[in-house]
């Protein structure tokens, strides 16, 4: 029979799949001999079974009772005892940290009779009644979905936060809470302690499928089928008076990575009070003055935990009457800057290797570091300064609730007293988050850091109402624009100008890494990534300027030059002439194309440049049919000769297509319009010959687009080879094709007979495989598909490994079987997506190509993919 419950002493930190992250780490701390309250973990297996059947798994309740007796023996108290009750906390704990997304219930086991016994045993009636009102509130919200506002209104009517209320006020508040509970549930608050416990466990299981938890997993790309464990632990109390309290600490600064101890402590409070941000906290340095013994013990434990986990640790603790208890630890979330700095520090300290350091950072984090920051020299006086909780520069209109943020069509800043898990949709939609309460460990700060959102917390000078915020005598309303600097904590009126990030300026060569911990860390890890990577990283570049920038960013070639982009602007008229049958247009285009290629080859001298022959849907180069028809009609109505418009209208009608993306484009265009591809091939060859004559080392490659049958490629290749043979002084030029039609992938073995290289055009391959257009679906059904979980992410952003990816694998295998040593790359924007880069590494591609800005991201991910594969092989 499946076992569903494990005591803390039975697990370890490597059992996260079974025990969840929190349970595995509680077990690890217990094994280390740290002061962890006794308890046990109900496994993720039990959760999945409960969610599948809707009932508790067979045998689970008996296992819980058995382990509960073990906790009672360790504590010396009995659960449900009216005179001296053992109280329990019930907390969720999935494999991956989901801060604030699922449920916690504290003080389980209190009832109308045991609350009096707790008061007598502790000699503190106020504490007992405060704990009871907390239980009713949390239990009602979590187990029976009682609206939190109903309890909040009663608390506000009683006079404020619980710590300010007398015993009599708390007793009245308990009565009020019980009435709220009954009004919304139709039943009395349960008095049986075991009923409370089992109802709480079921509620935590159900919270896995709560809307906010599902949304968070989708945002963070966490699998939806993992389930959560449930951790049941003996209560320890931070709300026992001034010698008690609760806190959250980090072994290094999660915002910057600086060494040291960072965190918040709240006297006479329970754990949820800190992360909720309802009351502003004191620093851990202040704890050293009010409880030096606990502070010293905490610092020692933090050092041991960081050594054990070999990483930044996030710790939750409670002090009860001067005794320190550890309630949780985990590898802490951090900002992108802190991730790079900490990884480099741990290498310097000999804690991890450079390969391990590469696994501690991600391409997504590097992308966030490349976003612009504020130009503070041009900034006005700040309105106020809060806690810099998550770096970045965010500009937007003020909104005061999550629904408004989620519905906004313009950039917004979510402004709240504090956030809670129900605010997640608005936090995702907003450019930044600003709160008047809370610190670096509040809900807003932790969630924002995890999502890479700019966040300023604890701006105490802000007075926030339902539809306005007042600060320094100035009142701002919804729709007013403000700017948040998450690095300094400053809040500015209006829109502050931005400047390139210093990471981008470093890649551009404007800054050096000397004396800058972040840039030094980025440089060190990028060097190791380049050294480790198997995949080369090329760039998509159509001009010399784009190519030069890509080279500065570390590209080792151009994987895609889109020649159709060279025909825009003033040259569009030449394409119109070509369509009208004017052969002279080709002669005029040749020198223009040749100059384009000379510029590109000069910028990438000594590196491969893959030039895609023109691939435009013709409608992009011709006036719209409706517009031409209207112009001709107006001319005829006025008795005027429509002239060239009339001739062009005839041609456009002749070539009009219902689905131009699937029509006359790519190789088909080159076969239908005689001389078009030949002109481009000649321009490439002559530009390369000129570069060779000037002492350069051009390495052009010609890529034929949209091939679906080998016969198409053979026809174009024969024409191209004849042209190349006629250009004296040209270097060897390889001819290959772009695999973007499913049939090309399936017949790759045939096509490889005529192609010296493949490059996957994953944008077109994706839309042709799925049967929907990337230009049309965003507003049609993508949002609903993401909501339903049909897509974890847009297949145009991250490669669909099961479908499109399978076509890539087939084409690589069949192509190389036909032509051993076939060079294979990818030139769709998937080439700069971190998850896709890892897929392309695993599939055996030779290079990825992406926009210049994403070249560093692809370089980092190529190195991470190689080091991860090497680590897996060594194991």
């Amino acid at each position: 029979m499946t076992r569903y419950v494990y005591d803390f002493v039975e697990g370890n930190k490597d059992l996260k799949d079974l025990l969840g992250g929190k349970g595995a780490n509680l077990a690890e701390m217990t094994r280390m001999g740290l002061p962890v309250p006794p308890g046990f973990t109900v496994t993720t297996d039990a959760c999945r079974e409960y969610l599948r059947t809707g009932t508790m798994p067979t045998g689970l309740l008996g296992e819980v009772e058995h382990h509960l007796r073990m906790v009672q023996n360790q504590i010396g108290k009995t659960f449900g005892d009216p005179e001296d009750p053992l109280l329990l906390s019930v907390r969720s704990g999935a494999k991956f940290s989901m801060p604030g997304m699922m449920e916690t219930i504290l003080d389980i086991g209190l009832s109308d009779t045991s609350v009096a016994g707790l008061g007598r045993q502790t000699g503190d009636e106020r504490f007992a009644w405060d704990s009871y009102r907390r239980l009713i509130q949390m239990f009602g919200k979590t187990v029976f979905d009682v609206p939190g506002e109903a309890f909040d209104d009663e608390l506000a009517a009683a006079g404020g936060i619980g710590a300010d209320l007398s015993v009599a006020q708390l007793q009245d508040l308990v009565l009020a809470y019980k009435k709220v509970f009954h009004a919304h549930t139709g039943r009395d608050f349960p008095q049986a302690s075991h009923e409370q416990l089992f109802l709480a466990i079921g509620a935590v299981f159900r919270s896995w499928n709560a809307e906010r938890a599902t949304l968070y997993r989708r945002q963070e790309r966490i699998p939806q089928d993992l389930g959560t464990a449930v951790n049941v632990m003996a209560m320890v109390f931070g709300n026992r008076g001034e010698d008690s309290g609760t806190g959250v600490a980090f072994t290094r600064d999660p915002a910057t990575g600086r060494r040291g101890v960072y965190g918040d402590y709240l006297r006479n409070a329970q754990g949820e009070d800190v992360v909720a941000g309802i009351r502003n906290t004191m620093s851990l340095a202040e704890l050293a003055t009010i409880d030096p013994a606990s502070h010293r013990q905490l610092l020692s434990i933090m050092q041991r935990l960081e050594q054990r986990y070999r990483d930044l640790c996030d710790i939750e603790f409670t002090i009860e009457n001067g005794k320190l208890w550890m309630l949780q630890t985990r590898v802490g979330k951090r900002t992108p800057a802190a991730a790079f700095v900490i990884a480099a520090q741990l290498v310097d300290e000999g804690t991890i290797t450079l390969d391990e350091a590469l696994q501690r950072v991600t391409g997504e984090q590097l992308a966030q570091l490349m976003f612009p920051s504020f130009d503070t020299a041009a900034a006005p006086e700040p309105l106020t300064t809060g806690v810099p909780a998550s770096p970045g520069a965010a500009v937007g209109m003020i909104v005061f609730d999550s629904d408004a943020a989620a519905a906004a069509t313009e950039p917004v800043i979510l402004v709240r007293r504090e956030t809670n898990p129900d605010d997640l949709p608005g936090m995702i939609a907003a450019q930044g988050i600003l709160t008047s309460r809370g610190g670096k460990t509040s809900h807003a700060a932790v969630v924002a850091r995890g999502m890479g959102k700019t966040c300023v917390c604890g701006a105490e000078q802000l007075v926030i109402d339902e539809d306005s915020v007042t600060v320094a005598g100035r009142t701002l309303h919804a729709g007013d624009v403000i700017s948040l600097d998450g690095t300094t904590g400053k809040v500015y009126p209006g829109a502050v100008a931005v400047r390139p990030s210093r990471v981008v300026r470093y890649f551009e060569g404007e800054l050096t890494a000397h004396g800058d911990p972040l840039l030094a860390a980025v440089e060190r890890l990028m060097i190791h990534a380049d050294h480790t990577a198997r995949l080369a990283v090329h760039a998509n570049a159509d001009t010399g300027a784009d190519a030069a920038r890509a080279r500065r960013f570390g590209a080792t070639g151009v994987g895609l030059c889109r020649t159709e982009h060279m025909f825009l602007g003033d040259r569009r008229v030449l394409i119109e002439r070509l369509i009208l049958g004017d052969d002279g247009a080709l002669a005029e285009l040749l020198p223009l194309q040749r100059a384009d290629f000379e510029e590109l080859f000069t910028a990438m001298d000594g590196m491969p440049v893959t030039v895609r022959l023109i691939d435009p849907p013709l409608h992009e180069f011709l006036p719209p049919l409706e517009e031409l028809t209207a112009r001709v009609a107006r001319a005829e109505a006025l008795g005027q000769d429509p002239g060239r418009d009339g001739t062009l209208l005839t041609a456009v009608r002749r070539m009009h297509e219902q689905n131009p993306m699937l029509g006359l484009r790519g190789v088909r265009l080159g076969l239908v319009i005689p001389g078009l591809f030949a002109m481009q091939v000649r321009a490439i060859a002559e530009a390369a010959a000129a570069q060779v004559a000037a002492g350069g080392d051009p390495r052009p490659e010609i890529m034929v687009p949209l091939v679906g049958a080998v016969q198409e490629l053979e026809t174009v290749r024969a024409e191209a080879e004849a042209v190349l043979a006629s250009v004296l002084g040209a270097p060897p030029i390889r001819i290959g094709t772009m695999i973007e039609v499913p049939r090309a992938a399936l017949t790759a073995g045939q096509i490889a007979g005529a192609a010296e290289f493949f490059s996957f055009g994953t944008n077109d391959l994706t839309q042709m495989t799925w049967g929907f257009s990337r230009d049309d679906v965003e507003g049609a059904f993508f949002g609903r598909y993401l909501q339903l979980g049909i897509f974890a992410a847009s297949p145009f952003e991250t490669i669909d490994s099961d479908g499109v990816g399978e076509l890539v694998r087939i084409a690589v295998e069949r192509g190389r079987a036909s032509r051993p040593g076939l060079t294979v790359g990818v030139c769709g924007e998937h080439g700069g997506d971190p998850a896709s880069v890892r897929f392309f590494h695993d599939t055996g591609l030779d290079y990825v190509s992406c926009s210049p800005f994403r070249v560093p991201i692809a370089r980092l991910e190529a190195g991470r993919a190689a080091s991860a594969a090497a680590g897996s092989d060594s194991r």
Side-chain angles (χ1 to χ4, degrees):
M1 189 170 70
T2 303
R3 181 181 177 186
Y4 290 118
V5 183
Y6 289 76
D7 193 88
F8 289 164
V9 299
E10 298 178 288
N12 61 64
K13 64 182 176 64
D14 297 323
L15 295 179
K16 292 181 180 179
D17 286 323
L18 181 67
L19 304 179
K22 188 175 296 181
N25 292 331
L26 283 168
E28 188 71 18
M29 288 196 295
T30 301
R31 290 167 64 91
M32 293 171 63
L34 302 185
V36 176
F40 53 87
T41 299
V42 183
T43 67
T44 56
D45 288 341
C47 176
R48 288 190 292 270
E49 181 66 11
Y50 177 88
L51 295 177
R52 186 182 69 83
T53 64
T55 60
M56 291 291 181
T58 303
L60 174 61
L61 301 188
E63 283 192 70
V64 169
E65 293 284 5
H66 169 73
H67 285 270
L68 180 56
R69 287 192 292 273
M70 296 172 64
V71 173
Q72 290 175 154
N73 292 337
Q74 290 177 271
I75 294 292
K77 294 184 178 184
T78 301
F79 187 55
D81 184 350
E83 296 301 321
D84 187 13
L86 167 67
L87 302 185
L88 301 173
S89 66
V90 171
R91 290 182 169 92
S92 62
K95 177 181 179 180
F96 299 104
S97 175
M98 299 169 54
M101 293 305 109
M102 293 186 296
E103 303 298 357
T104 293
I105 306 175
L106 306 179
D107 304 312
I108 289 173
L110 276 178
S111 64
D112 292 348
T113 54
S114 63
V115 66
L118 180 64
R120 288 191 296 271
Q121 283 295 326
T122 60
D124 188 345
E125 281 191 278
R126 203 214 67 82
F127 152 72
W129 285 97
D130 182 46
S131 299
Y132 195 23
R133 68 95 186 170
R134 290 172 185 267
L135 169 63
I136 298 171
Q137 181 174 7
M138 299 178 79
F139 194 92
K141 288 173 59 178
T142 301
V143 180
F144 287 96
D145 297 320
V146 178
E149 296 80 3
F151 293 115
D152 294 340
D153 290 345
E154 295 294 343
L155 180 59
I161 58 177
D164 298 330
L165 303 180
S166 67
V167 172
Q169 287 175 309
L170 286 168
Q171 289 172 332
D172 290 341
L173 185 60
V174 164
L175 289 175
Y177 276 9
K178 288 165 72 175
K179 290 178 181 177
V180 167
F181 185 93
H182 188 278
H184 285 87
T185 66
R187 59 167 291 174
D188 293 333
F189 180 76
Q191 297 295 303
S193 57
H194 286 72
E195 181 185 9
Q196 292 177 11
L197 175 60
F198 294 127
L199 285 172
I201 291 173
V204 173
F205 284 159
R206 292 192 301 275
S207 73
W208 175 258
N209 285 334
E211 182 177 353
R212 66 176 186 247
T214 302
L215 179 62
Y216 183 88
R217 290 195 296 274
R218 190 177 301 128
Q219 170 79 12
E220 300 298 313
R221 299 184 183 179
I222 296 172
Q224 298 284 0
D225 59 353
L226 297 179
T228 181
V230 179
N231 299 287
V232 180
M233 180 190 293
M235 280 293 301
V236 290
F237 300 96
N239 57 334
R240 289 295 306 275
E242 293 304 298
D243 64 346
S244 302
T246 189
V248 177
F250 298 88
T251 56
R252 301 178 192 230
D253 188 340
T256 67
R258 283 191 293 267
R259 294 179 177 89
V261 176
Y262 297 83
D264 298 313
Y265 181 70
L266 197 56
R267 295 175 88 170
N268 195 22
Q270 286 192 341
E272 298 304 301
D273 297 340
V274 177
V275 295
I278 296 173
R279 294 161 56 190
N280 286 337
T281 58
M282 64 177 64
S283 70
L284 289 186
E286 293 175 89
L287 175 62
T289 64
I290 63 175
D291 190 346
S294 294
H295 184 261
R296 285 194 300 271
Q297 185 184 8
L298 177 64
L299 294 189
S300 174
I301 289 173
M302 290 173 72
Q303 184 178 14
R304 288 183 62 192
L305 286 171
E306 185 169 277
Q307 290 171 349
R308 186 74 154 223
Y309 284 84
R310 302 189 308 138
D311 205 346
L312 159 72
C313 287
D314 171 354
I315 294 158
E316 294 181 18
F317 65 93
T318 283
I319 298 173
E320 180 182 22
N321 298 139
K323 177 173 175 56
L324 176 68
W325 292 96
M326 305 303 296
L327 303 185
Q328 180 177 342
T329 192
R330 60 190 171 196
V331 172
K333 292 186 180 293
R334 67 211 67 188
T335 65
F340 278 84
V341 170
I342 291 171
Q345 287 173 350
L346 293 172
V347 172
D348 290 337
E349 294 164 13
T351 303
I352 62 175
T353 66
L354 272 169
D355 278 342
E356 290 174 303
L358 276 183
Q359 300 308 314
R360 302 286 179 89
V361 296
T362 67
E364 289 94 340
Q365 290 169 330
L366 182 58
Q368 291 171 22
L369 291 175
M370 296 173 70
F371 292 156
S373 59
F374 284 137
D375 182 359
T376 53
E381 283 295 312
L383 293 168
T384 187
T385 301
V387 176
S390 185
V395 179
M397 297 184 300
I398 294 173
V399 294
F400 292 101
D401 64 76
S402 176
D403 290 341
T409 57
E410 300 290 332
V412 296
I413 304 293
L414 180 61
V415 179
R416 306 279 284 160
R417 293 187 183 94
E418 69 275 335
T419 64
N420 62 59
D422 293 332
D423 291 319
L424 182 65
M427 297 175 75
I428 291 173
Q431 300 296 303
I433 299 109
L434 171 63
T435 69
S436 60
R437 299 174 179 169
K440 285 188 177 181
T441 58
S442 66
H443 175 269
V446 172
V447 174
R449 275 198 300 274
M451 293 191 299
K453 293 278 184 181
T454 299
C455 181
V456 174
C457 291
E460 299 179 18
Q461 293 180 319
L462 299 178
V463 178
I464 300 173
D465 295 320
E466 289 185 4
D467 57 1
S468 68
V469 54
T470 302
V471 59
R474 180 172 179 174
T475 299
L476 301 173
H477 299 89
D480 290 339
V481 174
I482 59 173
S483 300
L484 302 185
D485 189 332
T487 303
T488 64
K490 288 183 169 56
V491 182
Y492 298 98
V496 177
V498 296
R499 61 183 178 186
S501 80
R502 68 183 197 271
V503 172
V504 169
R505 295 172 66 198
Y506 160 75
F507 285 128
E508 291 276 22
E510 297 176 16
L511 298 177
T512 68
H514 182 70
D516 187 318
L518 172 59
L519 296 185
V522 169
E523 180 175 81
R524 185 175 188 181
L525 293 178
M526 292 301 294
I527 289 172
H528 188 64
D530 289 339
H531 174 74
T532 306
R534 182 188 58 74
L535 276 174
V537 178
H538 296 178
N540 300 343
D542 311 323
T543 67
D546 284 347
R549 186 180 206 204
R551 191 164 188 164
R552 292 194 298 272
F553 276 31
T556 56
V558 168
L560 176 63
C561 167
R562 293 156 290 204
T563 55
E564 60 272 12
H565 289 184
M566 300 172 175
F567 294 106
L568 300 175
D570 295 340
R571 301 184 190 181
R572 187 187 296 265
V573 67
L574 294 174
I575 299 298
E576 293 180 2
R577 286 171 50 193
L578 193 64
I579 292 168
L580 293 174
D582 183 353
D583 294 337
L586 283 175
E588 293 182 47
L589 282 168
L590 177 60
L592 298 174
Q593 284 269 270
R594 185 168 55 233
D596 293 332
F597 296 133
E598 285 186 30
E599 178 186 344
L600 198 59
F601 298 158
T602 299
M604 298 304 291
D605 192 57
M607 294 183 177
V609 176
T610 302
V611 180
R612 182 175 73 186
L613 301 180
I614 187 169
D615 179 24
L618 275 187
H619 71 288
E620 295 181 2
F621 288 85
L622 296 172
L625 176 62
E626 297 82 359
E627 179 185 320
L628 266 179
T629 302
R631 277 164 29 192
V632 170
R634 280 196 300 271
E636 291 175 343
L638 295 172
Q640 299 173 350
D641 181 2
R644 188 169 180 277
D645 281 348
T647 305
L648 193 57
L649 176 59
T650 300
V652 169
R653 281 175 172 162
R654 185 181 72 248
M655 307 181 74
H656 178 69
E657 299 172 313
Q658 293 297 328
N659 295 294
M661 293 300 290
L662 300 177
L664 185 57
R665 52 175 291 211
V667 67
R668 304 157 196 163
L669 188 66
L671 295 175
V672 168
I673 300 181
L676 178 57
F677 278 3
M679 178 275 295
Q680 290 194 292
V681 171
R682 182 170 296 280
I684 293 167
E686 290 180 354
Q691 186 74 3
V692 170
D697 181 20
R699 301 184 183 182
E701 300 177 341
I702 294 172
M703 182 159 65
V704 181
L706 217 70
V707 164
V710 67
Q711 293 85 354
E712 293 173 310
L713 181 58
E714 289 171 341
T715 303
V716 173
R717 184 181 185 97
E719 180 184 36
E721 288 177 335
V723 173
L724 293 175
S726 70
V727 179
L728 297 177
I733 298 177
R734 299 200 305 165
I735 298 175
T737 188
M738 196 169 181
I739 305 291
E740 48 195 324
V741 177
R743 189 180 190 281
L746 296 173
T747 62
Q750 299 173 27
I751 292 174
E756 294 167 88
F757 65 88
F758 286 169
S759 181
F760 290 97
T762 51
N763 298 337
D764 270 314
L765 188 59
T766 295
Q767 67 180 348
M768 292 189 189
T769 300
W770 277 95
F772 48 61
S773 165
R774 58 180 173 166
D775 298 319
D776 299 325
V777 298
E778 290 291 345
F781 61 84
F782 256 42
R784 180 60 173 160
Y785 267 42
L786 289 167
Q787 184 181 43
L788 293 171
I790 296 171
F791 295 148
S794 166
F796 291 112
E797 296 175 8
T798 296
I799 193 76
D800 160 32
S801 58
D802 293 334
V804 178
E806 184 62 19
L807 288 173
V808 172
R809 282 188 285 261
I810 289 170
V812 171
E813 179 182 342
R814 295 180 182 178
R816 285 182 172 156
S818 174
R819 183 187 289 267
L822 178 74
T823 302
V824 183
V826 61
C827 57
E829 276 303 305
H830 292 98
D833 170 65
S836 302
V837 171
R838 295 191 291 276
F839 170 82
F840 296 133
H841 170 93
D842 294 340
T843 309
L845 270 63
D846 297 297
Y847 68 87
V848 295
S849 188
C850 57
S851 63
F853 187 82
R854 297 192 71 81
V855 163
I857 299 162
R859 289 169 52 204
L860 180 67
E861 287 297 339
R864 294 185 70 235
S867 67
S872 176
D873 292 343
S874 68
R875 289 192 293 273

